């Protein structure tokens, strides 16, 4: 069974159907989770889809299962180069080259890594000459002239972040260089992301936006790299996010009830980190979603999503397999029915299923 799925995945890869190849290889891995070749092949398909973090994870799993599999090191090196992790890429490629001396691509990629590493080393900022304290002290200040006040600087965020999106996921990148993994904490809520960086001797960095749309926390993940933190948020609904953070035209104001025993004291901003009640925020988001009225395709999509979230693993596999193999025309929840055969397309009444010819 797994060999049949592997053969179909290779056919899909040759025909540039990389998403289908990933899906078929994932099904094969569910059957044979200890076959290193399946992870290495899925890494290659993920590279074609620009899912470089997933490709590195698959390559690492393949290396763990079979340390002598040279193509796993090739996949890891290629994915790390795309992530601008040139040192890590070079180390993987050198191991792969020792396992496959006749493979010329290793030498070519190692040479390219050396070039990129050299370019990074030359990319260092040149500091301008500044006035020393002794020079400032030797300067004679005119009488009756007040010293110039230093300009007020605008406090910027410690780390820059940006995001881009795909139909089913949003990728958030926090450009924090050289942060150990143990100093990074990332938590996911249904519509909340929390990123905390605590380095000893430095002020903590906290990024806690309420997201534009809902996500699936159990499927979200993150990777701490040498130059950045890459966070992948799986969308609960395949909608386009116009921004990363949630915005609303009118924001409800908190009502303060006067105390019966006296006058409320004014409150002032504080630099002390506040504790976020995630359970309360989750409950609020769920309440808003429950009260939201949908119709048409949106209501249907919500219905299917609820079925998928509450289903067991066999039901989810049946839904994925039937939807992919039928080109989106069949959605089955019976794994016993669809697990052992290919699901044929079933177009709506009055329509005909046709294949595109290239």
């Amino acid at each position: 069974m797994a060999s049949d799925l592997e053969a179909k995945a290779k056919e899909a890869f040759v025909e540039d159907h990389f998403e289908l190849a990933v899906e078929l290889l994932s099904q094969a891995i569910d059957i044979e989770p200890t076959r290193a070749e399946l992870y290495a092949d899925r890494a290659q398909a993920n590279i074609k889809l620009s899912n470089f973090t997933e490709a590195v994870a698959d390559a690492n799993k393949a290396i763990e299962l079979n340390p002598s599999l040279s193509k796993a090191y090739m996949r890891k090196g290629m994915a790390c180069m795309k992530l601008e992790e040139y040192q890590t890429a070079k180390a993987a490629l050198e191991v792969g080259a020792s396992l496959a001396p006749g493979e010329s691509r290793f030498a070519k990629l190692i040479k390219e890594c050396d070039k990129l590493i050299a370019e990074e080393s030359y990319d260092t900022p040149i500091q301008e000459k500044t006035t020393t304290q002794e020079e400032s002290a030797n300067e004679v200040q005119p009488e009756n002239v007040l010293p110039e006040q230093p300009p007020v600087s605008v406090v910027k965020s410690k780390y820059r972040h940006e995001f881009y999106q795909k139909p089913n996921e949003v990728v958030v990148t926090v450009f924090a260089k050289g942060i150990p993994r143990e100093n990074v904490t990332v938590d996911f809520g249904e519509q909340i992301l929390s990123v905390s960086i605590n380095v000893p001797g430095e002020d903590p960095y906290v990024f806690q936006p309420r997201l534009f749309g809902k996500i699936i926390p159990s499927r979200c993940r993150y990777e701490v790299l040498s130059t950045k933190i890459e966070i992948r948020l799986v969308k609960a609904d395949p909608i386009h996010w116009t921004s990363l953070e949630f915005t609303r035209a009118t924001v409800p104001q908190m009502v303060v009830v006067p105390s019966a025993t006296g006058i409320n004291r004014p409150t002032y901003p504080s630099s002390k980190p506040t504790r976020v009640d995630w359970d309360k925020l989750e409950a609020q988001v769920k309440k808003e979603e429950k009260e939201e009225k949908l119709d048409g395709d949106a209501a249907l999509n919500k219905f299917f999503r609820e079925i998928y979230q509450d289903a067991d693993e066999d039901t989810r596999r049946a839904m994925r397999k039937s939807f992919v193999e039928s080109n989106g025309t069949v959605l089955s929840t019976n794994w016993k029915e669809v697990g052992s055969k290919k699901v044929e397309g079933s177009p709506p009444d009055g329509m005909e299923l046709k294949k595109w010819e290239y």
Side-chain angles (χ1 to χ4, degrees):
M1 182 66 180
S3 59
D4 294 338
L5 291 169
E6 185 179 8
K8 292 179 180 178
K10 290 181 179 179
E11 292 177 2
F13 189 91
V14 171
E15 295 176 359
D16 293 343
H17 297 158
F18 304 121
E19 292 185 354
L20 177 58
V22 169
E23 177 64 29
L24 293 171
L25 288 168
S26 299
Q27 295 179 25
I29 289 172
D30 290 339
I31 299 172
E32 295 187 24
T34 58
R35 278 194 59 194
E37 292 79 3
L38 296 176
Y39 290 96
D41 291 342
R42 191 171 69 175
Q44 178 70 348
N46 274 319
I47 290 174
K48 292 293 186 180
L49 291 170
S50 298
N51 298 333
F52 303 122
T53 304
E54 289 90 339
V56 173
D58 281 339
N60 284 334
K61 184 65 176 179
I63 293 170
E64 177 187 342
L65 294 171
N66 184 2
S68 62
L69 187 62
S70 61
K71 69 178 180 180
Y73 296 95
M74 174 73 74
R75 308 289 187 259
K76 181 176 180 178
M78 295 172 65
C80 287
M81 289 180 68
K82 293 294 185 180
L83 292 170
E84 298 182 0
E85 298 290 317
Y86 305 125
Q87 296 285 1
T88 305
K90 182 181 178 181
L93 293 169
E94 287 176 342
V95 177
S98 66
L99 296 172
E103 177 57 74
S104 60
R105 288 185 296 172
F106 281 113
K108 181 180 178 181
L109 290 173
I110 292 173
K111 184 177 180 181
E112 186 175 350
C113 278
D114 288 334
K115 179 182 177 181
L116 294 170
I117 291 171
E119 290 178 356
E120 274 192 335
S121 64
Y122 287 127
D123 188 19
T124 56
I126 300 175
Q127 296 184 352
E128 296 181 358
K129 182 180 178 181
T130 58
T131 303
T132 64
Q133 292 182 356
E134 292 182 359
E135 291 174 345
S136 299
N138 292 331
E139 290 181 3
V140 179
Q141 294 289 343
E143 295 181 0
N144 301 327
V145 176
L146 295 174
E148 184 179 356
Q149 297 295 327
V152 178
S153 59
V154 179
V155 178
K156 296 183 179 180
S157 178
K158 188 172 183 179
Y159 301 114
R160 180 172 61 90
H161 71 271
E162 64 181 24
F163 83 101
Y164 67 93
Q165 63 183 301
K166 300 178 182 179
N168 295 316
E169 72 173 3
V170 175
V171 181
V172 182
T173 303
V174 179
F175 294 93
K177 188 174 182 180
I179 303 297
R181 183 179 179 84
E182 58 267 23
N183 298 122
V184 178
T185 303
V186 179
D187 294 318
F188 305 101
E190 283 194 41
Q191 201 171 348
I192 297 169
L193 169 66
S194 174
V195 182
S196 300
I197 302 176
N198 291 285
V199 178
E202 298 182 10
D203 294 332
Y205 168 83
V206 179
F207 178 52
Q208 294 176 338
R210 181 182 178 187
L211 301 172
F212 179 89
K214 303 195 70 173
I215 60 175
I216 305 175
S218 61
R219 296 176 59 190
C220 298
R221 57 205 177 281
Y222 70 97
E223 188 75 12
V224 180
L225 305 173
S226 63
T227 58
K228 59 190 175 182
I229 303 169
E230 189 169 272
I231 306 165
R232 292 185 174 270
L233 307 174
V234 179
K235 296 180 180 178
D237 299 300
I239 60 174
H240 180 76
W241 291 17
T242 58
S243 63
L244 178 62
E245 300 185 31
F246 176 85
T247 57
R248 183 178 290 178
T250 56
V251 180
Q253 300 293 328
M254 182 180 294
V255 178
V256 180
V257 180
S259 173
T261 59
I263 302 174
N264 290 333
R265 295 181 179 180
T267 58
Y268 301 94
S270 172
S271 60
K272 183 178 180 180
T274 57
R275 184 179 298 274
V276 179
D277 189 345
W278 293 107
D279 293 336
K280 183 177 180 181
L281 290 175
E282 294 274 353
Q284 181 181 355
V285 172
K286 288 182 179 179
K287 181 180 178 181
E288 292 177 358
E289 181 191 38
K290 186 176 181 180
E291 294 175 352
E292 184 181 14
K293 294 183 179 180
L294 302 175
D295 55 8
D297 291 341
L300 187 61
N301 288 335
K302 180 182 179 183
F303 173 70
F304 287 144
R305 187 177 73 251
E306 291 174 349
I307 294 178
Y308 187 86
Q309 289 178 343
D310 298 334
D312 56 25
E313 185 59 29
D314 284 344
T315 302
R316 292 185 176 185
R317 291 166 64 188
M319 294 176 72
R320 292 197 302 265
K321 185 174 186 294
S322 60
F323 188 80
V324 171
E325 293 184 353
S326 67
N327 294 320
T329 60
V330 175
L331 186 64
S332 173
T333 58
N334 190 342
W335 177 249
K336 293 182 179 179
E337 178 182 343
V338 303
S340 59
K341 64 179 181 180
K342 181 178 180 181
V343 181
E344 301 294 338
S346 178
D349 294 338
M351 301 185 69
E352 181 180 356
L353 184 65
K354 291 184 179 181
K355 294 184 178 180
W356 288 99
E357 296 181 359
Y358 296 93

